[in-house]
Amino acid sequence: QSVLTQPPSASGSPGQRVTISCSGSSSNIGRNTVNWYQHLPGTAPKLLIYDNDQRPSGVPDRFSGSKSGTSASLAISGLQSEDEAEYYCAAWEDSLNGHVLFGGGTKLTVL
Amino acid sequence: QVQLQQSGPGLVKPSGTLSVTCTVSGGSISNYFWSWIRQPPGKGLEWIGYVYHSGRTSYSPSLKSRVTMSIETSRLQFSLKLTSVTAADTAVYYCARERDLNYMNGAFEIWGRGTMVTVSS
């Protein structure tokens, strides 16, 4: 069971804005930055957001990230059919000598 | 641009050792953290551990008793070994590179294509 908690599913219609939450604790999100991944079946995950709110080159500005306290959120505006995918948050966990935690994933459905 | 090419057997017998290698092309292996991540069928992503170019390693607490990672900088390769495997270790195994030099925080910018490893007799 993941220590980073995400809703198992989310949905929205084309053009809408959706948000996906990621809840952690003081030893992970509370002290470290959050990263977000988009994962399509049969492909490698793609880094969507790093350091809470930074987009790698090539990622559309429809994707944005934020963090407050021990929680983080990914927002997708102007939803498109190709955004249908699994989304994961990830953060460094300081306990037990440190390790990376992934959230359980959120399946986004574009209606 | 940097690419990661994975290689390794797709089938491992129970109680055996899983081995996967990742070869770096188009860039340097130095000054980066190199991780292994897996995804069992129908489940989410799980970080297994990292190896730094110096050979320093860190493993997931849940797997550390069975995991060994190594790096050969001259061959631009790093490897994962997982011992005493069971069906629960059946997964797609990915190698990945951290985004920033000399920094580890789970921002994996470059990924291998994944190796499906099945544990079965």
Side-chain angles (χ1 to χ4, degrees):
Chain A
Q1 190 167 358
S2 301
V3 178
L4 300 184
T5 302
Q6 298 180 234
S9 63
S11 63
S13 299
Q16 283 188 331
R17 181 177 187 271
V18 297
T19 60
I20 297 171
S21 62
C22 176
S23 178
S25 67
S26 59
S27 59
N28 42 68
I29 294 178
R31 291 183 197 162
N32 301 298
T33 59
V34 179
N35 310 294
W36 289 92
Y37 295 88
Q38 179 191 60
H39 195 194
L40 296 163
T43 69
K46 174 185 176 182
L47 182 64
L48 215 53
I49 298 287
Y50 67 96
D51 288 354
N52 302 327
D53 57 8
Q54 300 299 302
R55 281 187 307 277
S57 174
V59 173
D61 59 6
R62 302 187 296 106
F63 295 91
S64 62
S66 63
K67 181 185 119 171
S68 178
T70 59
S71 294
S73 291
L74 172 70
I76 309 171
S77 59
L79 202 59
Q80 300 179 2
S81 58
E82 55 261 40
D83 297 334
E84 186 161 297
E86 193 87 20
Y87 291 84
Y88 294 91
C89 59
W92 185 260
E93 163 66 46
D94 285 340
S95 69
L96 299 173
N97 294 319
H99 51 281
V100 175
L101 287 174
F102 282 99
T106 298
K107 170 63 177 176
L108 174 64
T109 301
V110 180
L111 302 170
Chain B
Q1 69 276 27
V2 178
Q3 293 185 325
L4 304 181
Q5 181 67 41
Q6 298 182 219
S7 59
L11 183 64
V12 182
K13 293 188 186 314
S15 77
T17 296
L18 178 159
S19 295
V20 190
T21 296
C22 194
T23 302
V24 181
S25 62
S28 174
I29 199 169
S30 297
N31 301 112
Y32 284 102
F33 288 85
W34 304 92
S35 283
W36 290 95
I37 295 144
R38 71 180 182 178
Q39 184 179 36
K43 296 188 178 182
L45 300 173
E46 179 183 21
W47 182 76
I48 302 170
Y50 73 65
V51 58
Y52 189 47
H53 75 104
S54 63
R56 177 176 126 208
T57 57
S58 179
Y59 305 138
S60 165
S62 63
L63 294 170
K64 67 182 300 182
S65 64
R66 300 192 290 128
V67 173
T68 302
M69 295 181 187
S70 59
I71 192 165
E72 291 187 70
T73 54
S74 60
R75 299 183 67 180
L76 297 178
Q77 290 182 334
F78 60 102
S79 299
L80 164 71
K81 289 190 189 302
L82 182 66
T83 61
S84 304
V85 296
T86 70
D89 296 309
T90 293
V92 177
Y93 286 77
Y94 295 98
C95 58
R97 196 202 79 180
E98 187 72 28
R99 183 183 183 278
D100 291 322
L101 283 165
N102 301 313
Y103 186 57
M104 178 69 199
N105 80 332
F108 306 114
E109 188 171 46
I110 299 172
W111 294 69
R113 297 180 69 175
T115 299
M116 179 66 211
V117 179
T118 301
V119 178
S120 174
S121 55

